[in-house]
Every structure is written in C-alpha cells, then in structure tokens.
Amino acid sequence: MTTIRREVLTLPAAPLGPDNPLPPLRPLDEAHRIDDRDRADLPRDMARQVDYEPLRSLLPVQVRDGYDRERAPRGLDALVIENDRLRATVLPGLGGRIASLRHKPTDRELLYVNPVLQPANFALNGAWFSGGIEWNIGATGHTTLSCSPVHAARVPAPDGGEMLRLWEWERLRDLPFQVDLWLPDGSDFLYVGVRVRNPHERPVPTYWWSNIAVPEDRRVLAPADEAWHFGYERRLRRVPVPEYDGVDRTYPLNSTYAADYFYEVPDDRRRWIAAFDEDGHGLVQTSTDLLRGRKLFVWGTGPGGRRWQEWLTEPGTGGYCEIQAGLVRTQLEHVKLEAESELSWLEAYGPLDAAPDGDWHTVLRRAEDRLEAALPRADVDAAYDAWRPCADTEPGERLATGSGWGALEVLRAGWKLPGTPFDEDTLGEPQRPWLHLLRTGSLPEPEHHEPPGGTLVARPWRDMLETTAATPLAEYHLGVAQWHGDDRAQAVRSWERGLQSAADRWPLLRCLAVADQQDGHRERAADRYAEAFDDLCARRADPAAEGDAGWAAVTAALGREAIGALLAVGRTADARTVWERLDPATRARGRFRLTEGELLAAEGRHEEARAVFDENFEVADLREGADSIGLLWARLDDAPLPARYDFRMWPGGE
C-alpha cells in the first residue's frame, strides 16, 4: 500500500535571504519574447495566445534576490510518497518540487537530482533552483513559487489508498491550484492530478508547464516530426525533428547553445515525452490530452551553457536537460480560463525501457509500443476519470503550510473552494495590514519607520485603497496599484499627494524616480533617487533600525538603483557618495562588486575596474540571459572574457 511520511533531506544549501522590499514597477526583463519578424508565420491559435495578456509586471509579488552562494548543510522538510515500486520525495517548502523519483526494483533514479540547493535568478521573481520536477503556473517563465512553501495534506486516493495533495494561491493571476500525487498499489507510475480554478466573474489568463530535469546524456523522444525552435536571440522558427541544421537535436549534447524545442505533436497522437540513456533505460511522462505541449530544453555544450550548469550545482556532478509538458504548444502563450471555470488533467511519470538509437519513426514506434504495454492510454484516461471526483475531497492530516494569501482572498470574496481550504489560521504578518484594511477600512501605520511592505494590486483592493483615508502610506500603495493597472498618470498624482505630508519620503520618491525613468526624464529621476537615498539613510539612523535585516535589504536595493540612475546621467561623484554610504557587507557582495567595477570605469579608473575581475567576484543573482559582465569586460580589456565570467547563451552574445 502507498505510504506518505515526513523526512528531512540534508543538502549543502545557500540561504534565500530577505526579499527585495522595493515594489517591482519596471517591465519584466523577459528573455522569452518573440521577434516581430516571426509573428506572421505563426499558426492563428498560437499567434492569438502569444498576444493574450502577457505579464507586464511582477506585482503584487516581490523580487527575491537576497540569496548568496555560501552553501552550508541545511535540513529541508520533505514528504515521501512510496509504494513497493516507486519512491517520490517532495519538497513542500520549495514549491512542492519533486526532488527525486526512484524506481525501487532496479534501484534507478529517474530524474536529475541536484546535490545542492543553489538559488539562481531564473524564476519570474528571481530565486529558483534546478533539478527534479517543478510545477510552473502563472506566466511565461519559472513560477514565483519556486522557492516558496505550499500547503500539503493527506487525502484519500481514488483506489482507497493515500494521496498527497499540494495546493496554493498563485498571486500573479490570482488563481488557486492543486497537485494531487498518488501511487496505485503495484504501479510503476506516479499519477499526478492537476486542477487550476478561476473563481472570478471574468476570464483570466493562465499558464502551466511541468518541467522535468533529467541527465543530459540522453536521447529525448516525443511523437513529432517538427518543433518550434526558440533561442536566446528571441527568434521562433519551425524546424524539422530529429535533424535540424545537419545535427540530430534530440541528443541534448549535440547542441552548442541553449535552446527550446517545442514539439508539434499531432492532435491525434498520444501525449508523451521520454529521455533514454544509451542502454535504453529512461523516464517517460504522459498525460491526458488537455496537456498538449511537449518541449526539450538544452543548455548546449558552449562555454556559456557549461558555465550555467556549474553555476546551478557543483562542478563535476554532471549536467541536465529538461523535458516538459504544458497546456499549449509553446511557453510563449497563455490560455484564457473562462469565468468561474477550471482546467484539470492527469499526468503519469515512470520508468520505460526502449532502444533510443536508430531511424526516428522506428524508434518512436518502438517506444510508444512499450509505453502502451506499460501504461495503456486508456488507463491514463480512466485514472483521470477516477481521480476527478476526489479532487473536491477535503484534506485530512495537514503536512505543510503555505502562505496566507489564499486565506485573505477567500475572506475578501467569500469563495467556496472544495478540496483546497485556505483557512484563517494560515494568515500571517504579510497579510496583517490588508486584513486590517478589509475589516476596518483603514491601513495601519508601520512601526519604527519600517519599509511599507508589499502592495495588493487587484481591482478590489485598489477600490478599497481609493476609499480609505488618504494617508501617505495609503497613497503609496494606491499609486503602486494604479501603476500596475497601467493608470500611470494617476499613480504619479497619488505618489505626489502622499509626498506632501510624508514623514518617510523615500518610498514615494523612489516610485516617482522610476516613473521619471520610464518617461525618459533621467535627470529628474537621478535627483529623486539621490533624495530618496538621503532620506532612507536618515531613517536608518533610528536606533530601532540598526541591525534589522529588512533595513539592510532596502538600503542595498535602493542604493543599487540610485547608483545606476546617477551613472546613467554621468553623475559619478554623486554615485560614489551613495556607494560609500552602503554597508561594507553589502559592498562585498558580488552584485555590488560588479557595480563597483562599473562605477570605477565611469570614473575613468579603468585599471582599478579591471582589477575587480581579478578578485573572482560572483554575482549570485545574475539574470538568465544577462550580458552585463561581458559588456563591462569589453570596455576594460581586449582579451577574451574569462571562462568563470562567461554566461553567454547564444551566438554573438556579449
């Protein structure tokens, strides 16, 4: 029989650190956007879904960039679901990631298991880590829940055994979702039932991709003769499968640069994707037909791809690729989820043996026959039908607790969400001011001049902010909500009104500085940033703020933005003044060593800027696809970019 138990998984792990306290007002620096030259050739449904409600902002989520690369052994809470054939290890504190899936009769690990927990800047909101199976909901990219806790509980399974339910509230689109995991007795396959609900009275865009990390020395099979190739140069092209540009791309190590291959699976074909080693052993993922898309992501063998692989784990531990499954053809698209409706499907993961080498269609047919013998397509549909009535079953023993945001939304709207309770006892400190607004109509003032915290930006919360007392704090939050709603002129007016009577001016000044930057008023933005940083430093002089991690985080975040704004208009002396007022511990961080190099270069001190590179700094939150290190190096030295700084992910990338 299936069992579910708690365990502690100990790994070398880097701490997540505090979130960035500044609201993310700028548009996303998104690598997954299509070059306009390719739009005309897209199928009509794909073009429509590419243009449907792409994410413009991370709000209300905050950026998670406080982590570093100093790893130490750390115990991670894990939930293990196991039968006599399979053992799955789940991390409820890290998005419900399946960290390991082991086939017990053969003692084979079916996934790529990362031996470390190293956050890196790949999620929509920053911190993400590689390995295992992750559940991506929200918008194009890795979910903002990558390094966040989710709720977990025992639930009766369709066969009478136990099922592990994971659920949370996805904040970018304000949607509740659940992931139900169970192992039928004697089954070689882990079943995963997924449901995404829209409780709103309006359509909402949604997105889902299940990402499965497997060792990269594999051949990846999916039932397709064509794929949509997307690289970091942002071109989307239809290419043949398996061979493209004279190379068989179904072997991940045959590609030089990082790329996505979104397979064009015919409508009448079974949905599946698999990865096999040279001996024909592998992992297969299959699903009911609603989960249409299948994808291969490769890092490539170029220096940038190899460097990223080392960056995300330990050198010498082997690389990985990802096989993925999603709601639509590509990850560039979003799906319309109609008002008061839901989407649900079933996935299955398990071992499969099939010879991977040879003629493409012969290999596919052989693998598909093996899959049908191991897990008939009809059985997957029947398992979905059996699970669907269980999706509303109320959870039993609680095994982990997620955030309180779902509880706050349920309190506000009075929604009934059978199977995924968002109980009031999950409300915490982040929800406290908003609960006060909901119940009393007013926002409580923060104590000791502390940073204002996150803003809720959905229309019902914005309406409440518009009718509450117009305090500087309320005007600040209202302006953020208006900015998110693309009412930017009104946002600026709200921030300017708040500034007239604010004791703490820096949050409002910083918002106005961002607005100035977006409107091309760079000199005024620099002035406001300088004034905001001065005001923040005056507030930090309060003894109550000394040693507070939140103050350290906001000083670092605002200082970094201020230096960038000042350098953009050539005010190097003012940028140097900000730099010198940062804490020594902040200046020692890799991100700020890069900032120091940029500052030195702007001051004309090129030798000193070049010397920063000799100190082997590491920018822990270097963004996927970023080229800032290479651009600075090119200003300082004609030599090739040193390998340790080479994160270039496409031909000709700087």
Side-chain angles (χ1 to χ4, degrees):
M1 293 294 291
T2 298
T3 61
I4 300 173
R5 67 179 186 276
R6 290 185 172 93
E7 279 192 0
V8 174
L9 180 64
T10 301
L11 291 176
L16 282 172
D19 288 354
N20 188 320
L22 305 180
L25 300 176
R26 292 180 176 83
L28 292 173
D29 181 18
E30 178 52 63
H32 301 95
R33 289 190 179 141
I34 301 175
D35 190 299
D36 287 340
R37 290 172 291 177
D38 299 326
R39 288 180 176 272
D41 297 327
L42 300 182
R44 184 174 300 175
D45 62 332
M46 185 190 294
R48 182 178 65 252
Q49 290 169 161
V50 164
D51 290 331
Y52 176 56
E53 295 290 338
L55 200 65
R56 299 192 309 270
S57 142
L58 282 179
L59 290 165
V61 177
Q62 291 176 287
V63 172
R64 179 160 285 171
D65 61 2
Y67 52 88
D68 58 31
R69 294 183 57 79
E70 298 298 321
R71 297 192 285 264
R74 173 184 161 201
L76 305 175
D77 290 335
L79 299 172
V80 176
I81 177 169
E82 183 171 16
N83 67 0
D84 60 335
R85 311 290 293 177
L86 281 177
R87 181 170 63 249
T89 302
V90 180
L91 303 177
L94 295 166
R97 181 84 58 102
I98 297 179
S100 168
L101 184 62
R102 183 164 287 275
H103 187 234
K104 294 163 69 174
T106 59
D107 195 30
R108 286 193 348 241
E109 175 58 54
L110 301 181
L111 305 174
Y112 167 79
V113 176
N114 197 333
V116 304
L117 175 61
Q118 177 56 63
N121 194 357
F122 280 75
L124 285 165
N125 62 330
W128 171 87
F129 65 103
S130 63
I133 303 172
E134 58 178 307
W135 319 111
N136 288 295
I137 181 173
T140 298
H142 293 282
T143 177
T144 62
L145 295 167
S146 294
C147 292
S148 295
V150 298
H151 302 282
R154 299 179 194 268
V155 183
D159 61 357
E162 285 192 317
M163 185 161 62
L164 174 61
R165 174 163 298 161
L166 311 170
W167 74 99
E168 243 307 345
W169 194 274
E170 200 288 309
R171 301 183 67 207
L172 294 179
R173 305 299 197 182
D174 266 339
L175 298 177
F177 71 98
Q178 71 190 76
V179 177
D180 289 351
L181 310 173
W182 79 101
L183 289 163
D185 191 30
S187 174
D188 278 316
F189 285 84
L190 173 69
Y191 288 170
V192 181
V194 182
R195 176 166 64 166
V196 181
R197 287 191 274 198
N198 176 13
H200 303 280
E201 296 178 348
R202 55 180 171 79
V204 175
T206 192
Y207 170 97
W208 185 278
W209 281 81
S210 301
N211 289 11
I212 309 129
V214 294
E216 65 183 350
D217 56 345
R218 299 289 188 266
R219 191 183 197 189
V220 173
L221 307 183
D225 293 326
E226 291 183 310
W228 294 90
H229 171 271
F230 186 75
Y232 283 82
E233 71 274 31
R234 300 184 181 181
R235 299 301 306 276
L236 183 68
R237 303 181 182 91
R238 195 193 296 257
V239 300
V241 174
E243 191 171 296
Y244 162 52
D245 200 21
V247 178
D248 189 332
R249 306 291 176 169
T250 62
Y251 293 89
L253 290 173
N254 281 355
S255 290
T256 304
Y257 295 100
D260 300 325
Y261 293 91
F262 298 103
Y263 294 111
E264 188 70 72
V265 179
D267 289 342
D268 60 345
R269 293 293 293 272
R270 182 175 184 176
R271 272 57 168 159
W272 64 275
I273 190 167
F276 296 97
D277 65 20
E278 61 182 3
D279 297 321
H281 304 311
L283 166 79
V284 66
Q285 186 272 1
T286 188
S287 71
T288 48
D289 287 351
L290 183 68
L291 203 65
R292 173 185 183 177
R294 292 299 185 274
K295 170 192 160 182
L296 165 65
F297 167 75
V298 300
W299 281 107
T301 58
R306 293 299 92 192
R307 185 69 181 106
W308 274 117
Q309 293 263 32
E310 293 177 352
W311 189 253
L312 296 170
T313 181
E314 292 278 14
T317 55
Y320 74 96
C321 64
E322 287 181 354
I323 56 175
Q324 306 180 11
L327 285 172
V328 284
R329 285 186 180 93
T330 75
Q331 289 171 332
L332 309 169
E333 305 166 66
H334 297 96
V335 175
K336 179 183 286 189
L337 184 53
E338 296 294 345
E340 299 178 335
S341 69
E342 61 184 50
L343 294 171
S344 62
W345 62 90
L346 185 126
E347 305 179 43
Y349 297 81
L352 192 68
D353 289 346
D357 298 328
D359 170 72
W360 179 242
H361 293 105
T362 301
V363 168
L364 282 183
R365 184 170 59 252
R366 187 164 54 215
E368 203 156 30
D369 289 346
R370 292 289 182 90
L371 174 58
E372 186 64 21
L375 183 64
R377 185 178 187 178
D379 286 5
V380 174
D381 293 335
Y384 170 76
D385 292 338
W387 164 73
R388 192 61 191 81
C390 300
D392 283 345
T393 302
E394 291 303 313
E397 179 192 0
R398 303 302 170 90
L399 300 172
T401 302
S403 79
W405 295 114
L408 184 66
E409 292 299 329
V410 167
L411 274 176
R412 179 190 62 76
W415 286 313
K416 305 298 182 185
L417 299 168
T420 55
F422 294 96
D423 299 329
E424 286 193 46
D425 62 6
T426 63
L427 291 165
E429 187 60 27
Q431 293 81 42
R432 183 185 62 81
W434 301 98
L435 184 62
H436 192 276
L437 176 64
L438 181 64
R439 288 177 169 167
T440 70
S442 65
L443 276 174
E445 290 295 321
E447 299 177 0
H448 305 301
H449 301 284
E450 60 192 28
T455 300
L456 293 181
V457 296
R459 188 75 220 198
W461 294 103
R462 176 176 165 178
D463 291 344
M464 282 184 253
L465 289 168
E466 287 177 340
T467 56
T468 192
T471 65
L473 180 65
E475 296 285 16
Y476 163 81
H477 285 300
L478 175 58
V480 174
Q482 290 165 331
W483 184 270
H484 174 263
D486 210 25
D487 192 354
R488 297 192 171 187
Q490 191 59 53
V492 169
R493 285 193 285 271
S494 295
W495 292 327
E496 288 176 340
R497 280 196 306 270
L499 198 59
Q500 293 172 8
S501 58
D504 298 332
R505 296 169 55 82
W506 67 264
L508 294 151
L509 285 165
R510 182 265 177 178
C511 290
L512 289 167
V514 173
D516 284 333
Q517 285 181 320
Q518 296 299 106
D519 291 338
H521 304 307
R522 300 194 305 164
E523 283 286 356
R524 191 167 66 194
D527 287 339
R528 281 176 161 160
Y529 264 122
E531 186 181 352
F533 193 75
D534 285 344
D535 184 69
L536 175 63
C537 290
R539 301 303 160 199
R540 279 199 68 181
D542 184 336
E546 286 302 314
D548 185 283
W551 280 106
V554 76
T555 305
L558 185 58
R560 176 176 159 188
E561 289 188 9
I563 290 171
L566 290 162
L567 289 181
V569 294
R571 290 166 57 175
T572 56
D574 291 336
R576 172 63 62 182
T577 298
V578 173
W579 168 263
E580 290 175 349
R581 296 172 78 181
L582 295 173
D583 293 336
T586 296
R587 294 201 299 260
R589 289 168 52 187
R591 165 60 65 183
F592 288 86
R593 298 309 316 280
L594 177 60
T595 299
E596 182 183 18
E598 292 168 339
L599 176 56
L600 288 166
E603 293 171 328
R605 299 157 67 181
H606 287 194
E607 290 186 7
E608 293 172 76
R610 172 62 181 79
V612 171
F613 282 87
D614 295 333
E615 298 176 20
N616 295 331
F617 65 87
E618 293 184 319
V619 181
D621 63 329
L622 186 68
R623 185 66 177 168
E624 173 190 12
D627 57 6
S628 52
I629 295 177
L631 289 173
L632 178 58
W633 174 267
R635 292 169 59 191
L636 303 172
D637 202 313
D638 294 331
L641 183 65
R644 66 174 290 104
Y645 297 118
D646 190 351
F647 294 90
R648 292 173 291 189
M649 299 174 72
W650 68 95
E654 294 297 336

